[in-house]
């Protein structure tokens, strides 16, 4: 069958304007005046980012959505993406598997209004690896950044936290998930696209490695200290009620793909209004102050001690 046949069968129908039907050496991106191109890339590795027995459809969707979440964090709107696939030679993923993977991409392409530009296909003795590079656009000068948080700003988060990290363990049958909501959060994050936050928030990023570690990125980049209040972290019931042995996982486990924002006091009403307009839950979870680093504070005001801040690959 070969890789060319494989590309034609699974990916050609996902291609859009400038992709030349996936039959050229490169693709062309048309740019509009007064916009800047935003680029972001993320890799997903079998047994590191997804489980080989996860549904192929949601693996495709999660791959796209993690990248869409990066565009959301930049305040950008999606245009197109490239897809690199490294197929494992040691164990076979069926044609049906890739069909469902591509169906996931097709469904989300339609919903989030972007298309495939091209990519690369290889094989190796290692695990399945997907790399997706996403292109978006933002009005010139209006990209959101991580480095403008200021003393006395409040810290906010969209949606809820911790469910995806527990969902992974539900998939591994280490934790009960009768509502299936933990599993759903792990399999299918919801990118917070479409919010108009430029001129409202002082810093923005998406949470992939856990709220504390990612808040630390904003703190470092902005030259400030951030306190997060543990009791304020928004969690669905299944997350809040998980047995205490899962405390650290739900707080630091990552995989949330929610937006972490800092906001000056006089813009808080605008932030809440903008999120309400788009029916996105938003919760105040902390405060920016002078200094450096991050702390998570318990209800009694005491810092909670952790041996690490969040997810690290090595
Ligand atoms: N291998 C690499 N080469 C160049 N830049 C990298 C590499 N890995 C990460 N980066 C850059 O480092 C920054 C942080 O990366 P990462 O933690 O992966 O961010 P994100 O959580 O947004 O994906 C990004 O600007 C990314 O482009
Ligand atoms: C099988 C499996 N094990 C563990 C995890 C948890 N996990 C893997 S990577 C990661 C952090 C995000 O991935 P990364 O590659 O750091 O993305 P980036 O920060 O670059 O967006 C998390 C929480 C998972 N999603 N799946
Ligand atoms: Mg990354």
């Amino acid at each position: 069958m070969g890789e060319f046949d494989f590309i034609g069968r699974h990916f050609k129908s996902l291609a859009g304007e400038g992709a030349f039907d996936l039959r050229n050496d490169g693709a062309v991106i048309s740019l509009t005046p007064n916009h800047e191109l935003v680029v972001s890339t993320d890799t997903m590795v079998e047994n590191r980012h997804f489980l080989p027995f996860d549904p192929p459809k949601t693996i495709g969707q999660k791959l796209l959505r993690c990248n869409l979440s990066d565009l959301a964090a930049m305040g950008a709107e999606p245009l197109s993406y490239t897809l690199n696939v490294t197929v494992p030679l040691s164990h076979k993923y069926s044609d049906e598997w890739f069909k469902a993977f591509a169906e996931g991409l097709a469904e989300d392409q339609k919903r989030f209004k972007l298309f495939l530009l091209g990519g690369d296909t290889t094989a190796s003795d290692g695990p399945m690896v997907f790399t997706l590079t996403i292109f978006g656009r933002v009005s010139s000068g209006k990209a959101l950044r991580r480095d403008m948080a200021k003393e006395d700003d409040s810290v906010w988060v969209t949606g809820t936290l911790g469910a995806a990290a527990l969902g992974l363990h539900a998939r591994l049958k280490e934790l009960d998930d009768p509502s299936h909501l933990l599993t759903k959060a792990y399999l299918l994050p919801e990118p917070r696209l479409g919010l108009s936050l430029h001129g409202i928030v002082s810093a923005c990023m998406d949470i992939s490695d856990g709220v504390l570690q990612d808040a630390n990125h904003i703190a470092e980049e902005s030259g400030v200290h951030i306190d997060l209040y543990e009791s304020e972290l928004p969690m669905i019931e299944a997350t809040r009620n998980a047995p205490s042995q899962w405390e650290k996982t739900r707080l630091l486990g990552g995989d949330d793909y929610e937006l972490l924002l800092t906001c000056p006091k006089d813009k808080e009403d605008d932030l809440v209004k903008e999120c309400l307009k788009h029916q996105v839950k938003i919760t105040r979870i902390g405060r920016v102050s002078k200094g450096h680093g991050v702390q998570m504070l318990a209800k009694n005001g005491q810092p909670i001690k952790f041996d690490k801040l969040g997810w690290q690959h090595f």
Side-chain angles (χ1 to χ4, degrees), residues 31-38 74-77 136-145 198-199:
L31 286 179
T32 30
N34 308 320
H35 282 94
E36 291 171 310
L37 190 66
V38 176
M74 298 290 294
E77 74 178 279
R137 69 170 193 178
V138 67
S139 294
S140 299
K142 292 198 172 174
L144 305 176
R145 300 155 47 157
H198 181 80

Side-chain angles (χ1 to χ4, degrees), residues 40-52 54 62 66-67 70 146 164-165 168-169 172 186 206-210 213-214 217 252-257 311-313:
S40 185
T41 190
D42 266 315
T43 293
M44 278 181 34
V45 179
E46 176 186 346
N47 284 321
R48 283 247 122 201
H49 295 84
F50 66 89
L51 297 164
D54 285 342
K62 185 167 179 179
C66 292
N67 280 273
D70 284 319
R146 296 178 179 183
L168 166 65
H169 294 280
L172 293 168
Y186 167 72
D206 77 322
I207 303 172
S208 54
D209 296 336
Q213 180 152 301
D214 285 331
H217 288 307
L252 308 184
D255 252 343
D256 298 298
Y257 300 101
W311 176 272
Q312 293 206 324
H313 283 293

Side-chain angles (χ1 to χ4, degrees), residues 227-241:
D227 280 326
L228 299 179
Y229 310 123
E230 192 275 334
S231 60
E232 304 297 319
L233 298 180
M235 291 178 186
I236 60 170
E237 236 169 76
T239 309
R240 212 20 114 187
N241 295 339

Side-chain angles (χ1 to χ4, degrees), residues 108-161:
D108 273 4
Q109 274 192 205
K110 225 177 182 175
R111 177 171 165 210
F112 297 108
K113 299 193 175 57
L114 76 171
F115 54 78
L116 182 66
L117 271 185
D120 198 23
T121 303
T122 55
S124 85
D125 298 325
M128 176 82 89
V129 180
F130 297 108
T131 297
L132 196 145
T133 301
I134 199 159
F135 303 94
R137 69 170 193 178
V138 67
S139 294
S140 299
K142 292 198 172 174
L144 305 176
R145 300 155 47 157
R146 296 178 179 183
D147 63 353
M148 300 290 275
K150 297 274 184 303
E151 188 186 345
D152 276 341
D153 286 354
S154 44
V155 181
W156 300 73
V157 70
T158 60
T160 62
L161 297 173

